[in-house]
Amino acid sequence: MLTLKSIHTYYGSIHALKGVSLHVRPGETVALIGANGAGKSTLVSTICGLVKLHKGTVEFQGRNIAGFSPEDIVREGIALVPEGRQIFSTLTVEANLQMGGFIHRHNSRQMAQDMKRVYERFPILRQRSQQLAGTLSGGEQQMLAISRALMARPKLLIMDEPSMGLAPLVIKEIFKIIRELREEGRTILLIEQNARAALQISDRGYVLETGKMVLQGEGAMLLEHREVKRAYLGKGAKQIWEA
Ligand code: ATP
């Protein structure tokens, strides 16, 4: 569904992605792990058209989408749950969901149906529908950010650090939601610092280090890989939650 071939991205003179390749097949959950500053968010921003691709190709369902505007990329079928959630805090929960469904705004029946589905999945959001999104708890905001992305009816859902800044119990809840989305057959690219939890719910994974892909393989294999264990799963590594 998504194929990145040898992509290079720069911020001025900083070479943030140095020939990165990755693919995601339909129905797969693929984890991208790596330390702070490895380039994970840059990779997401490059796919979503938020930063300029310098070299390489980004193919989505066989089309080269490099150079497309972020709005057109959403229209192609990619939706992002951004790092830090980035909900519209001064709008109501309902207005946030409407914004997520922006590309379908002329189809009010579909919008109402999708909103109903979101509220069935997350009854707490129905209860809070008229509340300003900025007044929600961290976990509720993450549910809203996921729901807002689902409102676009994406074929590929990209989640950038969904567990960041949340309490352990809430993280557990968020991973449960991701697992459910996976079981529904959705295609997910999951960017996480919480490597163990991410690899446990993923079919395959990639490890990014200082702008280069250094390892890839099945989730279960990476969990047992010596280098991954040492750098990301060991005693000194970040372990917020274990399944
Ligand atoms: P984190 O988990 O901390 O978000 P990351 O793996 O997502 O890290 P990026 O945020 O993609 O890493 O950063 C990759 C590199 O690009 C880093 O060296 C970072 O300092 C640099 N970088 C990121 N954004 C910018 C920017 N807007 N301007 C200049 N340099 C940037």
Side-chain angles (χ1 to χ4, degrees):
M1 184 175 276
L2 177 74
T3 309
L4 309 184
K5 282 190 195 145
S6 276
I7 64 169
H8 291 261
T9 303
Y10 288 82
Y11 298 104
S13 61
I14 297 170
H15 196 176
L17 296 179
K18 302 164 186 158
V20 169
S21 299
L22 165 152
H23 66 273
V24 183
R25 301 190 191 99
E28 267 191 327
T29 293
V30 172
L32 175 66
I33 62 171
N36 277 337
K40 304 181 301 298
S41 294
T42 303
L43 188 78
V44 171
S45 298
T46 307
I47 298 169
C48 296
L50 299 165
V51 298
K52 193 168 168 272
L53 172 74
H54 184 77
K55 218 168 120 191
T57 56
V58 180
E59 271 184 22
F60 184 64
Q61 298 195 307
R63 251 158 88 87
N64 187 0
I65 57 165
F68 278 31
S69 70
E71 183 179 337
D72 283 341
I73 289 169
V74 177
R75 283 187 200 285
E76 288 292 313
I78 299 179
L80 172 64
V81 181
E83 181 174 339
R85 304 177 268 284
Q86 300 189 25
I87 48 136
F88 303 106
S89 55
T90 56
L91 299 181
T92 62
V93 166
E94 190 155 303
N96 269 267
L97 294 174
Q98 284 164 348
M99 292 295 279
F102 180 78
I103 57 165
H104 305 298
R105 65 191 177 283
H106 300 302
N107 189 343
S108 51
R109 230 180 94 197
Q110 178 181 311
M111 185 87 108
Q113 259 176 17
D114 290 353
M115 194 94 75
K116 189 165 167 260
R117 269 195 215 120
V118 161
Y119 287 151
E120 279 164 8
R121 187 191 287 273
F122 302 118
I124 190 77
L125 294 184
R126 188 199 302 273
Q127 281 174 35
R128 308 254 190 273
S129 65
Q130 299 312 312
Q131 202 168 309
L132 294 185
T135 64
L136 299 180
S137 71
E140 290 163 358
Q141 288 190 13
Q142 191 56 270
M143 286 178 202
L144 179 59
I146 294 169
S147 303
R148 181 181 57 182
L150 293 177
M151 288 293 292
R153 294 199 169 190
K155 294 173 189 135
L156 170 68
L157 189 61
I158 302 181
M159 307 177 100
D160 193 357
E161 306 270 7
S163 74
M164 196 164 85
L166 300 175
L169 266 179
V170 182
I171 293 177
K172 200 166 178 174
E173 182 63 24
I174 296 301
F175 274 100
K176 184 167 159 264
I177 293 165
I178 301 170
R179 201 186 287 269
E180 284 165 7
L181 291 168
R182 179 196 178 189
E183 281 162 9
E184 285 168 20
R186 291 186 183 271
T187 310
I188 302 171
L189 177 59
L190 173 63
I191 286 80
E192 260 293 337
Q193 282 199 29
N194 196 342
R196 185 186 303 274
L199 291 173
Q200 276 173 339
I201 60 168
S202 297
D203 299 291
R204 290 186 304 114
Y206 289 86
V207 183
L208 191 64
E209 263 179 31
T210 55
K212 285 189 181 160
M213 217 55 107
V214 292
L215 264 179
Q216 58 171 299
E218 285 182 8
M221 183 280 277
L222 288 177
L223 275 170
E224 292 305 318
H225 194 284
R226 204 160 49 96
E227 282 305 302
V228 175
K229 275 183 164 170
R230 182 191 57 79
Y232 302 103
L233 309 173
K235 268 192 182 151
K238 200 173 178 185
Q239 289 186 60
I240 308 168
W241 170 72
E242 293 191 28

